[in-house]
Amino acid sequence: NYPTYVSEYSATAYVSKEILSAMFPKGRDVWTKDFENASQIGLWAGCAFSFDEEGSLELGKLVFKNIQEKLGLQ
């Protein structure tokens, strides 16, 4: 058995994408593509599994929601 863990790359990439998209909406497509690439780093390197990424996305959403509320981002 392999212990699962949350990938910080995926969580951080999601938060970054959302913050940049809120602040610079014209670049949303670029931020989204960057997120997709960054969130796959662990998979490409062979040090993470797809189920690690699922939890990471949920963590990223929770972190962004907290930041969004504190900063008043739309």
Side-chain angles (χ1 to χ4, degrees), residues 36-74:
E36 290 169 0
N37 289 331
S39 67
Q40 300 297 311
I41 288 174
L43 297 173
W44 295 340
C47 61
F49 296 103
S50 59
F51 50 80
D52 292 331
E53 301 304 324
E54 293 169 11
S56 302
L57 182 58
E58 292 305 312
L59 174 62
K61 288 179 180 180
L62 291 171
V63 170
F64 175 67
K65 182 178 177 185
N66 193 339
I67 291 171
Q68 186 178 32
E69 290 171 1
K70 291 189 184 299
L71 297 181
L73 296 173
Q74 295 287 346

Side-chain angles (χ1 to χ4, degrees), residues 4-25:
T4 186
Y5 64 95
V6 177
S7 169
E8 70 276 8
Y9 300 113
S10 188
T12 303
Y14 179 83
V15 173
S16 299
K17 171 188 76 105
E18 291 299 323
I19 289 173
L20 288 169
S21 293
M23 296 176 72
F24 307 103

